[in-house]
Amino acid sequence: MMDKSLGGIYDGLRAPYLQLPAANSIVIRWQTKDRNIGVVRIGEVAGQLSTKKLELSADDEHRVQLTGLKANTKYYYSVGTQNYTLFKGNEYWFKTSPENTIKDNTTQENVSTLQTIRFWVTGDQGQAGDIQNGVRDAMSGWTTQQPLADKTVPDFWLTLGDNAYRSGSNKQFQENFFAPYASILKHTPVWPVYGNHDARRWAFFNIFDFPAQAQSGGIASATEKYYSFNYGNLHVVVLNSQSSRIQKNSKMLRWLKKDLALTKQ
C-alpha cells in the first residue's frame, strides 16, 4: 500500500483521481511507472471491496470506468494490478451524484428545497507553494467545521484554468496539481477548465477526461474544450475563452443555446 504526497521529481507514479462523475458511473484514473493491467476494486463497506474491474490491456496511464452504480451512494475503492495494490484505505472513496429531481412541474419557489450541493471553485491555482497550500487547507478546514447536510468535503471541484505552471507539462501537472491536491483528489471529482498556461502543451487533454459526448448530462459538444454536466439538480456549463470562437453565431455559442434550452436544472 502506498499513501504519500508523491511530490518531487516526477517518476511516472500518480495517485488516483476521479473523473466524469454521474449518478450511476464514474471514471478512476492513475499512473504507474511500468505498463500493466490496472485493477479497481470497490465496495460500499470499507475494507470489503468485493467488486472488481480490470482494464482490457496493459498501460502505464490507467483508466477504469465503473458503471451500474447506485445514485447518491458512497463507495470505497482501491487501485493497483492483479498482483498488488498500490492505493487503498478508508480515505479512498467516492460518492455518486444524486438523481435529478427537477421535473416539468417543479417551480422556482420549491427548487431550492430539493437538494443541497456544495462544490469548490478555484482559478489560477497551478503553482505549488505556501499560498496554494493555504487555500487548500482553508477549504478543507472550513468544510470540516461547517458540515452541510453531512458533507465534510465538496461534492466536486471546478477549476477555472491555469492548472499547472508554467507550461502545463505532465511533470508540472504532477508537481503543481496532483501532488499538492492528492488528499482531495482521492475522494472529490475534479472538473478542469482550459487556461492559457494549460494550452502550451497537450498534456491537459491527455490527463483529464471531458464529457464531449454528454457522458455526465447536458448535450454533446463534440469537443473537449467546452462541455456541460449535471450534478443532481445542478447544471454546469463550461465555456472556452482560450481557443474557441465566441462571436455571435459561433459553433460554441450555438451549442450553448441548445444546451440551455434543453435543461430545466
Side-chain angles (χ1 to χ4, degrees):
M1 180 178 71
M2 182 173 296
D3 186 9
K4 54 186 179 180
S5 64
L6 301 175
I9 300 301
Y10 177 50
D11 61 2
L13 186 63
R14 177 167 293 156
Y17 54 105
L18 306 169
Q19 301 278 271
L20 300 181
N24 59 3
S25 67
I26 199 165
V27 170
I28 301 180
R29 295 190 61 168
W30 73 101
Q31 290 184 14
T32 51
K33 300 177 184 179
D34 303 313
R35 295 174 64 87
N36 47 62
I37 294 179
V39 177
V40 172
R41 293 175 171 85
I42 66 168
E44 294 183 47
V45 179
Q48 300 181 27
L49 310 182
S50 57
T51 300
K52 178 175 68 174
K53 185 165 184 180
L54 286 70
E55 288 181 300
L56 296 178
S57 59
D59 205 337
D60 53 4
E61 294 190 13
H62 303 282
R63 181 187 186 278
V64 172
Q65 183 173 21
L66 303 171
T67 59
L69 305 177
K70 294 188 290 187
N72 203 31
T73 300
K74 186 175 183 178
Y75 291 90
Y76 296 89
Y77 72 92
S78 70
V79 302
T81 71
Q82 293 176 286
N83 299 320
Y84 58 87
T85 299
L86 269 174
F87 299 92
K88 69 177 181 179
N90 293 353
E91 69 272 27
Y92 290 93
W93 58 269
F94 63 86
K95 191 173 184 179
T96 52
S97 63
E99 295 280 7
N100 171 28
T101 59
I102 295 180
K103 308 302 180 184
D104 289 344
N105 60 353
T106 301
T107 66
Q108 193 67 35
E109 288 70 26
N110 63 24
V111 67
S112 62
T113 65
L114 296 175
Q115 291 177 351
T116 303
I117 298 171
R118 170 177 279 174
F119 59 99
W120 188 34
V121 182
T122 62
D124 208 19
Q125 77 287 328
Q127 181 66 60
D130 292 342
I131 295 176
Q132 185 192 64
N133 293 340
V135 173
R136 176 201 63 201
D137 296 345
M139 182 280 293
S140 296
W142 190 88
T143 53
T144 299
Q145 295 168 9
Q146 303 185 63
L148 179 64
D150 297 323
K151 300 177 191 292
T152 56
V153 302
D155 291 305
F156 62 86
W157 176 18
L158 179 67
T159 77
L160 301 181
D162 291 355
N163 298 278
Y165 279 93
R166 177 151 188 95
S167 58
S169 68
N170 198 21
K171 179 176 180 290
Q172 289 168 346
F173 262 101
Q174 182 63 31
E175 296 175 349
N176 295 292
F177 186 85
F178 289 103
Y181 295 116
S183 61
I184 295 169
L185 292 167
K186 65 180 65 175
H187 52 60
T188 300
V190 59
W191 290 102
V193 176
Y194 190 40
N196 66 302
H197 284 270
D198 307 305
R200 300 181 185 188
R201 304 286 180 91
W202 202 250
F204 177 79
F205 294 105
N206 292 331
I207 289 170
F208 298 110
D209 285 33
F210 302 92
Q213 302 304 320
Q215 296 96 316
S216 295
I219 66 170
S221 64
T223 176
E224 295 179 319
K225 294 184 177 181
Y226 53 86
Y227 56 87
S228 64
F229 66 90
N230 296 332
Y231 189 93
N233 294 337
L234 181 66
H235 184 69
V236 178
V237 177
V238 172
L239 300 179
N240 171 34
S241 62
Q242 173 59 30
S243 60
S244 296
R245 293 181 179 275
I246 60 174
Q247 290 90 342
K248 183 178 180 180
N249 205 39
S250 64
K251 183 178 180 180
M252 182 171 68
L253 294 190
R254 293 198 306 271
W255 166 82
L256 173 63
K257 290 179 180 180
K258 293 178 181 178
D259 182 83
L260 295 178
L262 292 175
T263 183
K264 293 185 177 296
Q265 289 159 276

